[in-house]
Amino acid sequence: MERTDFERLALEQLDALHRAAFQLCRDHALTADLVQDTYVRALRSAHTFEDRGGGIRPWLFTILHNVFYSRLKRDAREPASVDTIYAADDRTPLPDDAPPAWDLSAFDWDHVDERLKKAIDELDSEARLTLLLWGVEGLKYREIAAILGVPDGTVMSRLYRARQQLIARIGEFSADLGVRDRTQTNDEPS
Amino acid sequence: MTEHSANSESPHDPLSRSALIRAAADGELSAEQSRVLETLRSSDASVDSAIEFESQLRRHVATAMHEPAAAPAALRANIESIFAQERDVVGPAATRSTSFWNRRAGWLAAAAAILVVASATMITQWPVNKQPLPVTGVAPIDQGMFIAASRFIAKEHNRCAPFERYFDLKMKVRDSAEATDTVVKLLGAPPTRIELDDAGYQFAGMGPCAVPGPGASVHMIYRPVDASDGAVSLFVQQSDDSRLLDENVRYRVPMEGGGALLIWRNGGLTYYLFCQDETSQSHLMTLLGAPGRELPA
């Protein structure tokens, strides 16, 4: 690939990379710094890039993720977070997922986005990045796993946990809105 | 009534009800899962709405996380500038220029862009001790600027000290005689000294910098002559305002990770010396004509 083509393709992904970096850092200055370092690293490794069908975006996400965790380990700013992340890369039994105690068919999605944003903010950085790759980027489990350097099952676990947390928060919201609560009726699952 | 998954199954079981629902919503069903899901649908009327719920959740997550929609223009400009600089470094020989000044405008733009990012970053994280700075009683130091400069210097030193790509990009002047001329052109006055071989450090490179505070600045970096670890950085900044620093005193800022930043003012220039080896530090300050009186900052 010609250098100018590489630069053009890489810059086309700037918005996506910036969004992902922001989910990791949650700080505009740190986000900008992380994105810049990612591009410096990408440029340095441009000769190693091979388009395996997914374009340059997954490759850049991988570099972004690696740079972020290299910094975390270097700075030891969030050692507990790293431990938590990798401790969660497991196939250990998860708690039974209790169903939402509300009627899905009565749920009003029009009023959920702000609550959802707050719920997402409460997730750890790795869960947010996984959610972003899944939700915004629309990547497959195996593509996310390749970016994060973890098994497919770990991605599924993270998505499962993240979705459970979001659903729980949405559930609180639905109760606020007066969505019919299953626990207050005699209805039973069919 | 439609219910979300009421399973007590392991989510790792790909054929569990909840795993089937999530896989269906995500378009990740295997052939076997598709078969099992069809069977489940025929016996459980709530499956379809549960799948729809998960799909809706994904769409709303996408909406909620689609911010910030665009990267800041300054960041884009900075990355484009880095690309352009890299082209100069690795491009065809015919397009290379040995003159730093031919690319001065681009470099200053890059330095300014780096300053934007770095100065925004310095508010929180970089390796300078974060204890409040005591008032020295010697000069009315702008302590906020002092802290900002210290953090900036620590970061720039750490980026250049590996002598890799960032060093190549920033330190375009590699000759000490040219460095002296460059300092005069940029700062309007010659530095006390450029060469530090007598203290065991060899000039490695110089480039324009953007130390926080008024006045242009440059960054010079030195390798130990004995090829050991422990580069030394000397930043020099225009300093016309004598109120900022007392010329009779040098100020010491201890740095996390060892070493200290020594700051003093001399002849209209402010010097920032970063060295991790205390013995060398003393020798360097003598060579550079730093004031003998030292105060903690």
Side-chain angles (χ1 to χ4, degrees), chain A residues 35-152:
Chain A
V35 171
Q36 180 178 299
D37 276 4
T38 299
Y39 273 94
V40 168
R41 190 82 66 92
L43 205 56
R44 190 186 299 168
S45 307
H47 62 284
T48 68
F49 169 65
E50 288 178 37
D51 188 350
R52 296 175 181 170
I56 198 171
R57 186 181 293 199
W59 185 73
L60 290 172
F61 277 137
T62 302
I63 295 174
L64 176 82
H65 183 257
N66 291 343
V67 171
F68 177 74
Y69 281 100
S70 295
R71 285 177 165 208
L72 268 192
K73 288 172 186 171
R74 182 193 67 194
D75 299 342
R77 289 188 201 125
E78 293 183 44
S81 174
V82 174
D83 292 344
T84 302
I85 289 159
Y86 289 104
D89 288 351
D90 55 25
R91 298 191 67 83
T92 55
L94 297 170
D96 294 344
D97 53 339
W102 28 274
D103 184 347
L104 297 182
S105 60
F107 192 75
D108 182 1
W109 285 100
D110 290 342
H111 298 93
V112 79
D113 285 345
E114 283 308 312
R115 175 57 67 100
L116 200 53
K117 282 181 188 175
K118 289 178 185 169
I120 289 168
D121 285 345
E122 292 169 3
L123 299 173
D124 65 46
S125 58
E126 194 73 0
R128 287 197 303 267
L129 180 61
T130 308
L131 270 185
L132 178 131
L133 296 173
W134 165 78
V136 179
E137 302 300 333
L139 298 180
K140 296 289 187 187
Y141 299 156
R142 62 178 166 73
E143 294 172 318
I144 299 171
I147 288 169
L148 304 182
V150 297
D152 294 6

Side-chain angles (χ1 to χ4, degrees), chain A residues 77, chain B residues 122-133 143-158 252-261 263 274 297:
Chain A
R77 289 188 201 125
Chain B
M122 66 183 70
I123 56 174
T124 52
Q125 309 287 356
W126 256 264
V128 175
N129 284 349
K130 296 184 175 62
Q131 293 87 353
L133 300 179
Q143 293 190 336
M145 193 181 75
F146 218 27
I147 294 170
S150 303
R151 288 180 175 156
F152 175 82
I153 283 166
K155 184 176 180 184
E156 284 302 289
H157 173 84
N158 290 335
R252 175 180 291 268
V253 182
M255 310 292 269
E256 284 182 4
L261 179 67
I263 307 172
F274 180 59

Side-chain angles (χ1 to χ4, degrees), chain A residues 3 7 10-11 14-15 18-19 22-23 29-30 32-33 35-37 39-40 43-44 71 74 77 90-92 94 96-100 102-105 107 109 112-113 116-117 120 128 131-132 134-136 138-141 153 157 159-160 163-164 166-167 170 180 182 187 189-190, chain B residues 1-9 11-12 18 22-23 25-28 44-46 49-50 52-54 56-58 60-72 75-76 78-80 82-84 86-87 90 113-114 117-118 120-121 123-126 155 159 164-166:
Chain A
R3 180 188 175 80
E7 290 180 5
L11 275 172
L14 178 58
D15 291 343
H18 183 258
R19 269 194 300 275
F22 186 73
Q23 292 303 330
L30 292 177
D33 209 39
V35 171
Q36 180 178 299
D37 276 4
Y39 273 94
V40 168
L43 205 56
R44 190 186 299 168
R71 285 177 165 208
R74 182 193 67 194
R77 289 188 201 125
D90 55 25
R91 298 191 67 83
T92 55
L94 297 170
D96 294 344
D97 53 339
W102 28 274
D103 184 347
L104 297 182
S105 60
F107 192 75
W109 285 100
V112 79
D113 285 345
L116 200 53
K117 282 181 188 175
I120 289 168
R128 287 197 303 267
L131 270 185
L132 178 131
W134 165 78
V136 179
L139 298 180
K140 296 289 187 187
Y141 299 156
S157 292
L159 286 174
Y160 168 82
R163 285 200 273 205
Q164 288 302 108
L166 297 183
I167 288 169
I170 292 171
R180 187 163 48 135
R182 177 173 71 85
D187 290 345
S190 55
Chain B
M1 176 174 192
T2 306
E3 284 296 332
H4 189 256
S5 150
N7 63 314
S8 59
E9 64 221 353
H12 296 306
S18 61
R22 289 193 300 272
D26 292 347
E28 298 266 6
D44 183 348
S46 68
S49 63
E52 174 58 20
F53 178 86
E54 293 286 356
Q56 285 273 22
L57 179 62
R58 185 174 184 169
H60 283 266
V61 165
T63 302
M65 299 188 86
H66 203 271
E67 293 177 351
L75 176 62
R76 185 176 294 275
N78 194 29
I79 291 169
E80 287 172 347
I82 289 171
F83 281 3
E86 180 69 8
R87 264 182 245 127
V90 302
I114 289 168
V117 174
T121 303
I123 56 174
T124 52
Q125 309 287 356
W126 256 264
K155 184 176 180 184
R159 284 180 150 181
E164 295 174 348
R165 185 176 173 282
Y166 196 82

Side-chain angles (χ1 to χ4, degrees), chain B residues 180-259:
Chain B
T180 303
D181 294 340
T182 302
V183 173
V184 172
K185 287 175 185 171
L186 196 57
L187 308 186
T192 313
R193 187 181 185 107
I194 292 281
E195 292 184 343
L196 302 176
D197 298 56
D198 289 349
Y201 290 92
Q202 190 169 38
F203 177 83
M206 192 215 80
C209 201
V211 176
S217 55
V218 297
H219 178 191
M220 288 170 275
I221 194 162
Y222 300 79
R223 285 189 177 94
V225 173
D226 63 5
S228 61
D229 291 332
V232 164
S233 275
L234 178 65
F235 295 73
V236 186
Q237 184 177 34
Q238 277 178 323
S239 176
D240 294 332
D241 191 345
S242 60
R243 293 170 302 176
L244 295 175
L245 289 174
D246 189 321
E247 286 217 8
N248 300 310
V249 174
R250 67 179 190 239
Y251 300 87
R252 175 180 291 268
V253 182
M255 310 292 269
E256 284 182 4

